[in-house]
Amino acid sequence: MEHKKRIKKIGFIFGLKKEMNLVSHKKNNIICVCGYGKGSKNATQELINFGVDIVINFGFAGSISKNLKNGDIVFIDKLFNEKKEKLSTLKFDKDLLKRLESSFKFFRGNLLTVNKIVADRKEKLNLVKKFKSISVIDMEAFYIKKELLKARIPMMSIKVIFDDLSFDIPLFIKDCINDNGDLKRVTLFRKLVLNPLTIFDLLKLNFKFIKSKKVLKDLINNL
């Protein structure tokens, strides 16, 4: 009698809950968690306790490269933090990646995990000067990878670009988002009353968000 091939347990980890909620399929071998910043350590530990064989870090990210635009998909090669520490990689079964590459166009790049939202072009260009090999920024991938290395669990990080160098995230948005990435509607309403013209910034931001959200949703539900 032939032994059935064991189905691998896969962990999906996102920075924000709204990203995780884009997962529409239900599979017994997949567990989804979320957490950003240093708080992503607890989410990663949850996957380790579940006994996953591989982790895929999906989510939105910012581009600091003129070659990466809103909606582009980037497979991350190397991970760095702001101290310029680099994490080594573990080999993984590339069947998952090949399956995605048959349906989507991928770019490749290195990622820097930052400790705060980098909102405007000037801040991003300063990072370009300091970290010359970096093209993508987020707030969680480095922390996730660091925990997984301790457990010897391989990880893929695949990001969809939300904010690129062609537009800035309006500074007032920082005050209108809570720790979970959800909109504080009352605060936003007050900002709009005080400065009605900011509605145009919001419309542009929403257009970019809808585009990147569709790409991310299609990507994660293609597995």
Side-chain angles (χ1 to χ4, degrees):
M1 180 183 293
E2 293 185 9
H3 292 286
K4 290 185 178 180
K5 189 176 180 180
R6 184 175 71 88
I7 298 176
K8 289 187 176 182
K9 293 181 180 179
I10 303 172
F12 286 178
I13 185 165
F14 303 85
L16 300 173
K17 187 175 181 180
K18 64 171 59 178
E19 295 170 340
M20 185 176 72
N21 288 341
L22 296 177
V23 180
S24 60
H25 59 63
K26 303 291 183 183
K27 296 181 180 178
N28 293 331
N29 67 316
I30 293 178
I31 179 174
C32 300
V33 297
C34 64
Y36 75 96
K38 294 183 178 180
S40 61
K41 178 178 178 179
N42 293 332
T44 307
Q45 192 59 50
E46 191 176 340
L47 294 180
I48 294 171
N49 293 340
F50 186 72
V52 296
D53 298 294
I54 185 172
V55 169
I56 305 178
N57 168 223
F58 285 117
F60 299 130
S63 166
I64 59 174
S65 167
K66 63 181 181 181
N67 297 320
L68 294 175
K69 307 296 183 183
N70 170 250
D72 284 344
I73 303 170
V74 188
F75 177 83
I76 304 303
D77 287 317
K78 298 175 184 176
L79 292 166
F80 296 82
N81 65 6
E82 291 188 85
K83 295 179 181 178
K84 295 190 176 181
E85 295 174 324
K86 181 178 73 171
L87 293 178
S88 58
T89 58
L90 295 174
K91 291 184 178 180
F92 57 85
D93 185 340
K94 294 186 178 181
D95 287 345
L96 290 174
L97 183 59
K98 288 178 181 178
R99 191 187 313 168
L100 290 172
E101 286 179 324
S102 66
S103 303
F104 300 92
K105 178 184 177 182
F106 278 80
F107 294 86
R108 299 184 82 99
N110 297 331
L111 180 145
L112 171 70
T113 291
V114 295
N115 296 318
K116 64 180 182 68
I117 296 175
V118 179
D120 60 41
R121 180 183 173 88
K122 184 178 179 180
E123 285 184 280
K124 289 180 178 180
L125 292 177
N126 286 335
L127 287 177
V128 172
K129 294 176 183 177
K130 187 176 179 181
F131 302 93
K132 299 187 183 301
S133 66
I134 304 299
S135 55
V136 181
I137 54 175
D138 80 344
M139 294 181 67
E140 69 274 346
F142 184 90
Y143 301 118
I144 296 168
K145 182 73 173 181
K146 191 172 183 178
E147 293 304 306
L148 290 173
L149 281 173
K150 296 176 186 177
R152 304 297 298 172
I153 297 174
M155 165 184 152
M156 288 192 295
S157 185
I158 303 174
K159 300 292 185 176
V160 173
I161 299 301
F162 171 47
D163 52 306
D164 58 35
L165 290 176
S166 70
F167 77 102
D168 298 339
I169 296 177
L171 292 177
F172 72 88
I173 287 293
K174 291 183 179 181
D175 299 326
C176 300
I177 297 176
N178 63 21
D179 291 340
N180 293 319
D182 297 320
L183 192 65
K184 296 191 284 188
R185 297 181 184 278
V186 174
T187 303
L188 176 61
F189 178 74
R190 289 172 181 166
K191 296 278 187 182
L192 288 173
V193 169
L194 292 173
N195 187 0
L197 291 179
T198 56
I199 187 67
F200 296 107
D201 291 327
L202 283 178
L203 290 173
K204 184 177 181 180
L205 191 70
N206 188 58
F207 174 78
K208 300 286 187 181
F209 175 72
I210 289 173
K211 180 179 178 180
S212 54
K213 177 182 175 181
K214 183 183 184 305
V215 173
L216 182 60
K217 184 175 182 179
D218 290 344
L219 181 66
I220 59 182
N221 289 303
N222 201 267
L223 282 175

